[in-house]
Amino acid sequence: MNPLSVFTYYYRNLVKLTPMFLVLALAVFGISLTGVLTGSISASAVSKVEVYRGAAMISPNTAEGYTDVDANIKGDLAQNPNIAATFPTIRFATYMPTLAGQTSAHIYAVNQEAFPILMQAFDLKLVQGRLPRTGTNQIALHKSLMGARGFRLGEVIDPANDEQEFIPGKFEIVGVLDGPTQLSLASLEFVSRSGDFRGRARSVLALPRVGAQAAAEYDIAKLDPAMVHPYTYSAELATFAKDFASMDTIVWTINSIVVLVLSLLAGLLNFIYFLDRSNEFGLLLGIGYARSFVIRRALLEALLLTLMAWVFGILFSQFIYGVLNAFIFEPRGVALSVLNWRALQFTIPIPIMVGLFSAATVLWQLRKLDPMQMIERRD
């Protein structure tokens, strides 16, 4: 074994280096957790916007007293060459627990002939039960909503039995849908006749033709804003990104403070390690090793330890998130987002800043180190 090998140094000083290694690895886990949590919250919010990728929704401007989309606008939408089909709908919602608390989960009441078309457009499959029958208070909920609320087939959602529930009337769950878009379906014939939904806005779902989504959204955005309020994927996503940017700024600020404190801690520990090994470095210089060699070796020891701790922290974090998803979150219909590039970005400053502070400490000490002092053991 090469006595000057970096790994020899690690092997002989496991007890001394382990605290530093664990501090860095746990810091990576802690900081990545902020990225994963905010990413999961973001993904939950974006899932509601994803509906508009497959079908834009045009709602009447209730602030101006409209409760239905104007007939002329409906005609223009039906004749638009960029729109494949339009369907009337009444949208309502139930609550859904998430990592950030409760949010609303939309349910779209449409005519029965629209069920297969919407399911194909959103790549949804009926995995349990059946679709709602025409004119009944039956609903088919998305699998994620079923898991989050702990629902079962045949169960009745009754606001009288749940003080948090804000669906106006009773609905029986008869089917479970699964797919990339969180969409739940109900019978428009029932909802439009039910007194519980009297006064609800009657909107229009507009499905864009394949390859014409941008053109369809452009045409929809030009509709009279005094009469309708359009919901398109690009517009809603831009609004969400703007609102979510402030959260990212807060997370970056907090993480930057943590990384700065961690870097100062690493620099202090490296200074203590250097004082403990000053005789070793002095002897290496005294027996003829170039100062540049000693500096490179000391830098490599500090930087490689930081890099290995970062990699271990990433792998450890991924393992923990996988376990939490498998045993806690996914059974409840709520999942942590994977350790993706967004979460990794929050951790990258750790090896960079800690490496720079460690390198600065080593360089500052070695530049003024006098080997003769070490050899003669003079302070």
Side-chain angles (χ1 to χ4, degrees):
M1 183 179 291
N2 183 0
L4 294 181
S5 168
V6 172
F7 295 102
T8 301
Y9 168 69
Y10 292 156
Y11 176 74
R12 292 175 176 174
N13 295 273
L14 283 176
V15 175
K16 183 188 297 185
L17 297 176
T18 296
M20 182 65 179
F21 182 88
L22 292 179
V23 166
L24 292 175
L26 290 176
V28 171
F29 169 69
I31 288 180
S32 71
L33 182 60
T34 61
V36 168
L37 289 176
T38 54
S40 300
I41 294 169
S42 171
S44 175
V46 168
S47 66
K48 293 165 63 175
V49 177
E50 282 293 322
V51 173
Y52 306 126
R53 187 197 292 270
M57 189 175 78
I58 300 90
S59 296
N61 188 344
T62 54
E64 296 294 333
Y66 293 96
T67 57
D68 200 353
V69 177
D70 182 76
N72 292 325
I73 293 179
K74 289 180 180 178
D76 291 341
L77 291 171
Q79 297 174 11
N80 190 308
N82 297 312
I83 295 176
T86 60
F87 299 101
T89 185
I90 295 177
R91 187 179 72 177
F92 56 101
T94 183
Y95 72 90
M96 178 176 177
T98 67
L99 291 173
Q102 291 185 1
T103 186
S104 58
H106 291 144
I107 302 170
Y108 291 82
V110 295
N111 294 322
Q112 193 168 34
E113 60 266 24
F115 288 164
I117 299 174
L118 290 177
M119 289 176 65
Q120 182 179 4
F122 292 104
D123 194 23
L124 293 173
K125 294 181 180 179
L126 184 67
V127 293
Q128 283 184 272
R130 56 178 173 79
L131 294 173
R133 290 198 176 102
T134 303
T136 63
N137 66 332
Q138 299 172 346
I139 52 175
L141 298 182
H142 193 270
K143 184 179 179 180
S144 60
L145 177 56
M146 291 285 290
R149 292 284 299 273
F151 286 143
R152 294 184 178 181
L153 279 181
E155 193 168 340
V156 175
I157 303 177
D158 186 355
N161 298 329
D162 186 351
E163 61 181 15
Q164 300 182 75
E165 185 59 70
F166 43 82
I167 283 183
K170 295 181 181 180
F171 282 91
E172 179 188 3
I173 304 169
V174 297
V176 181
L177 302 173
D178 193 16
T181 305
Q182 190 184 103
L183 185 74
S184 300
L185 299 172
S187 168
L188 180 61
E189 291 84 356
F190 169 79
V191 171
S192 60
R193 293 199 310 264
S194 173
D196 294 327
F197 290 86
R198 186 177 293 110
R200 286 283 180 128
R202 298 169 181 263
S203 305
V204 174
L205 289 177
L207 279 66
R209 293 192 184 277
V210 177
Q213 180 174 350
E217 290 187 354
Y218 177 77
D219 293 339
I220 291 171
K222 292 192 299 182
L223 296 175
D224 187 355
M227 301 177 68
V228 296
H229 180 84
Y231 295 88
T232 61
Y233 178 71
S234 58
E236 295 302 309
L237 190 63
T239 300
F240 166 79
K242 182 179 179 181
D243 294 340
F244 196 75
S246 58
M247 181 183 293
D248 263 0
T249 301
I250 294 173
V251 173
W252 272 110
T253 301
I254 295 173
N255 285 348
S256 297
I257 295 173
V258 172
V259 171
L260 180 61
V261 173
L262 187 67
S263 301
L264 292 172
L265 172 63
L268 177 61
L269 287 176
N270 274 312
F271 176 72
I272 295 172
Y273 293 159
F274 181 88
L275 293 179
D276 189 49
R277 301 175 62 202
S278 56
N279 287 342
E280 175 191 342
F281 291 131
L283 287 173
L284 288 174
L285 293 173
I287 61 177
Y289 281 98
R291 190 177 295 268
S292 60
F293 168 82
V294 178
I295 290 175
R296 283 198 306 271
R297 183 175 179 276
L299 285 176
L300 185 60
E301 289 173 358
L303 297 178
L304 189 58
L305 178 68
T306 302
L307 182 61
M308 289 191 300
W310 180 73
V311 172
F312 176 81
I314 294 296
L315 297 176
F316 175 74
S317 301
Q318 187 69 359
F319 171 75
I320 293 297
Y321 301 145
V323 171
L324 291 176
N325 269 336
F327 294 99
I328 298 177
F329 293 111
E330 287 182 354
R332 300 179 182 178
V334 182
L336 292 172
S337 64
V338 295
L339 194 59
N340 52 23
W341 171 241
R342 180 182 178 278
L344 287 175
Q345 281 181 316
F346 289 114
T347 69
I348 289 177
I350 294 179
I352 294 176
M353 292 299 295
V354 171
L356 288 176
F357 272 71
S358 299
T361 304
V362 170
L363 287 173
W364 179 58
Q365 291 294 325
L366 283 176
R367 283 183 59 189
K368 64 176 188 176
L369 181 65
D370 182 1
M372 295 308 299
Q373 269 191 344
M374 300 299 104
I375 293 173
E376 297 174 3
R377 297 186 179 274
R378 293 203 314 266
D379 294 333

